[in-house]
Amino acid sequence: MTTMYVTYAGNADTPFDREHWIDVHFPLVRECWGPYGLERLAGFFPQGDGGGLIAIATCVFRDKAAMEAALASPETARVMADVDLVTAVKPQRSLAAPL
């Protein structure tokens, strides 16, 4: 398995449509990347000061090749276009360190 973190930086004043992210964006991500090997998807909203983070998504893929195929797919344009409806913040991607 390969876990990709998608993080959104900001503060309490940064616009971020939580309902759209969970209710619309996540189903879209599952639809677009599921066929490429996305196995699980979850979203979190840090409490407290959040260290400058306003939201974190974990995308668990079958393996690194599946993640790379999903990111390179034409469907990724739909995923990224929908991010613009959630927030003006550009998400950052990172990989979980292997255990």
Side-chain angles (χ1 to χ4, degrees):
M1 283 191 292
T2 296
T3 301
M4 177 178 70
Y5 295 115
V6 181
T7 56
Y8 297 83
N11 59 40
D13 297 325
T14 304
F16 192 93
D17 187 338
R18 290 179 173 203
E19 286 184 28
H20 183 97
W21 194 55
I22 295 296
D23 297 337
V24 177
H25 187 71
F26 275 30
L28 175 66
V29 170
R30 285 184 186 99
E31 174 189 334
C32 290
W33 291 349
Y36 295 96
L38 177 69
E39 294 182 343
R40 291 191 306 278
L41 176 65
F44 304 92
F45 302 106
Q47 297 299 310
D49 68 11
L53 294 176
I54 54 176
I56 304 167
T58 58
C59 304
V60 179
F61 290 89
R62 179 178 56 248
D63 53 30
K64 189 174 181 184
M67 179 195 71
E68 291 170 349
L71 292 174
S73 73
E75 291 87 347
T76 294
R78 289 179 58 206
V79 171
M80 296 311 297
D82 192 64
V83 167
D84 293 339
L85 300 177
V86 175
T87 183
V89 173
K90 296 302 174 201
Q92 300 297 310
R93 296 182 204 134
S94 60
L95 295 180
L99 297 176

